[in-house]
């Protein structure tokens, strides 16, 4: 569990980590969802967070036409943003400052050295091209707390707990500015 409160980040309890080698087969399941069956949890230089989200979507029956499985978050994000105006889309982008995330939504952020700057809170598919990004799946919301899970967070599948403001929107975390929230309309 990773807790974001104000500008602080804490990890009160560490669960199983990928480098204890007991979960490498599980990580391989995530890679199989993106057609990379040769990779597993021993391939520490290969970030597997997008493979995890792809596996979750595949496991819950979301068709590839609605969520494009990918080994990098920017790939499926770009696809969803590009197709958002088509009727019947399951996922559509929402500005962080306007939207209160709910279970099933994806909350996303830049990761690493690749800055992705939203224009007035909006992100285009082209802005994400090749960007290092990360998304978590929202799994719970209670009062002013949001819970999400993501893969390859501190080398494990982890739950993150974030603060919401009085309107239910994500409070800013300076080290991890959020952009867009992909609303799940399933």
């Amino acid at each position: 569990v990773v807790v974001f409160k104000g500008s602080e980040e804490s990890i009160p309890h560490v669960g199983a980590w990928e480098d204890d080698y007991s979960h490498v087969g599980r990580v391989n399941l995530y890679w199989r969802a993106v057609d990379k069956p040769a990779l597993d949890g021993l391939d520490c230089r290969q970030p597997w967070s997008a493979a995890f989200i792809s596996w979750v979507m595949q496991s819950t029956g979301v068709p590839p036409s609605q969520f494009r499985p990918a080994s990098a978050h920017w790939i499926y994000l770009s696809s969803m943003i590009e197709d958002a105006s088509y009727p019947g889309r399951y996922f559509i982008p929402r500005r962080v400052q306007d939207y209160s995330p709910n279970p099933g939504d994806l909350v996303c952020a830049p990761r690493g050295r690749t800055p992705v700057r939203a224009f007035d809170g909006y992100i285009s598919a082209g802005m994400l091209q090749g960007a290092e990004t990360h998304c978590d799946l929202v799994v719970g919301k209670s009062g002013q707390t949001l819970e999400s899970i993501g893969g390859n967070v501190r080398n494990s599948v982890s739950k993150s707990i974030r603060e919401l403001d009085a309107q239910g929107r994500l409070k800013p975390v300076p080290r991890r500015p959020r952009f867009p929230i992909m609303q799940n309309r399933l």
Side-chain angles (χ1 to χ4, degrees):
V1 176
V2 181
V3 179
F4 295 92
K5 189 167 185 151
S7 62
E8 298 296 317
E9 176 181 335
S10 67
I11 305 171
H13 173 73
V14 176
W17 288 56
E18 80 172 29
D19 53 2
D20 73 4
Y21 306 117
S22 63
H23 299 289
V24 295
R26 183 70 166 173
V27 175
N28 177 257
L29 287 176
Y30 310 149
W31 282 116
R32 288 176 182 278
V34 296
D35 295 325
K36 295 194 174 202
L39 295 174
D40 60 27
L42 294 175
D43 302 296
C44 296
R45 295 183 193 264
Q46 295 291 325
W48 49 269
S49 57
F52 170 73
I53 295 292
S54 295
W55 174 81
V56 167
M57 294 299 170
Q58 186 180 73
S59 297
T60 58
V62 176
S65 61
Q66 292 285 345
F67 184 96
R68 178 181 169 192
S71 59
H73 296 280
W74 73 266
I75 297 170
Y76 69 72
L77 283 173
S78 293
S79 178
M80 289 189 291
I81 290 169
E82 221 167 65
D83 296 346
S85 63
Y86 297 144
R89 299 311 301 169
Y90 290 2
F91 295 93
I92 57 169
R94 297 291 185 194
R95 292 182 344 149
V96 173
Q97 60 264 42
D98 296 338
Y99 181 71
S100 177
N102 293 298
D105 293 346
L106 293 171
V107 292
C108 306
R111 178 184 237 176
R113 299 172 304 271
T114 311
V116 178
R117 291 184 178 83
F119 179 74
D120 193 27
Y122 294 100
I123 297 286
S124 71
M127 295 166 112
L128 293 170
Q129 198 73 23
E132 294 174 346
T133 56
H134 179 81
C135 294
D136 281 357
L137 177 69
V138 177
V139 295
K141 182 178 181 179
S142 178
Q144 291 182 277
T145 302
L146 187 77
E147 296 179 344
S148 62
I149 59 167
N152 202 29
V153 177
R154 304 291 187 261
N155 297 322
S156 67
V157 173
S158 298
K159 176 170 67 173
S160 294
I161 300 171
R162 294 179 176 83
E163 294 180 292
L164 299 171
D165 67 16
Q167 290 76 38
R169 296 179 302 240
L170 282 170
K171 283 188 174 182
V173 175
R175 281 186 17 173
R176 200 79 183 252
R178 295 281 158 193
F179 71 13
I181 297 168
M182 299 304 294
Q183 179 189 10
N184 181 341
R185 301 189 309 177
L186 273 169

